[in-house]
Amino acid sequence: MADRKDPLIGYQFALEVQGVITGYFTEVGGIGSEQEIGEHKVTAPDGKDVIMKIPGRSKWGDITLKRGVTDALDCNAWRKMVEDGNIGGARKNGSIMVYDVQFKEIARWNFINGWPSKYTFGNLSAGDSSVLTEELTIVHEGIVREK
């Protein structure tokens, strides 16, 4: 049982952009990749028509991060760069980190040339006492799990 690997339990998540922690989040989604599939029609030596499935281009999911609203404006400022047309300046390398309850980093994914494609602020209601939330969507050109 010494080589047993228990599943990781994520307690908190952080977004790091260009080496600087931009914020801590309660939810992260969309980390992953898939391959486009091409079909190649061939005739096998026995005369049967066969469709070969071949790998095409790689594509990566959009990263979505959710958190309670704070007075930090880092994500807003990053999104504003895109709104102002400064896409070149907005493209940044970064990481998504997963922490356990002792705040020890237990997993990390590094993304390349990411930029915020969407920022949404949760619904507001005067009689509601729930936490205000915001969501940031980051598109990128590749992601690799480092840890």
Side-chain angles (χ1 to χ4, degrees):
M1 297 285 291
D3 59 341
R4 176 181 158 170
K5 299 282 186 183
D6 289 331
L8 300 176
I9 297 174
Y11 177 72
Q12 192 161 19
F13 312 96
L15 169 64
E16 181 182 275
V17 179
Q18 299 293 107
V20 177
I21 300 280
T22 302
Y24 294 95
F25 295 82
T26 55
E27 290 182 46
V28 177
I31 296 175
S33 68
E34 66 178 286
Q35 211 71 29
E36 290 181 354
I37 300 169
E39 293 185 350
H40 182 61
K41 297 175 184 174
V42 297
T43 303
D46 62 1
K48 292 182 181 177
D49 289 333
V50 177
I51 297 176
M52 295 176 56
K53 304 277 184 166
I54 54 176
R57 293 178 289 211
S58 297
K59 51 185 184 176
W60 293 270
D62 299 344
I63 301 167
T64 56
L65 302 125
K66 293 181 185 178
R67 69 176 176 184
V69 174
T70 67
D71 61 355
L73 299 175
D74 316 44
C75 293
N76 302 73
W78 191 21
R79 173 69 189 141
K80 182 94 169 83
M81 292 174 79
V82 175
E83 292 170 350
D84 292 344
N86 185 5
I87 303 296
R91 287 184 191 275
K92 300 185 183 295
N93 297 334
S95 301
I96 304 296
M97 290 97 65
V98 180
Y99 296 97
D100 65 12
V101 283
Q102 283 84 32
F103 212 69
K104 177 182 164 213
E105 184 180 311
I106 56 175
R108 174 186 287 256
W109 287 265
N110 298 326
F111 61 85
I112 301 163
N113 288 330
W115 54 274
S117 65
K118 183 178 179 182
Y119 169 81
T120 56
F121 189 78
N123 296 330
L124 300 172
S125 175
D128 194 358
S129 62
S130 61
V131 173
L132 298 175
T133 60
E134 61 185 350
E135 183 175 323
L136 182 70
T137 301
I138 300 170
V139 297
H140 55 90
E141 297 171 3
I143 191 163
V144 176
R145 183 169 177 186
E146 176 185 307
K147 183 176 187 177

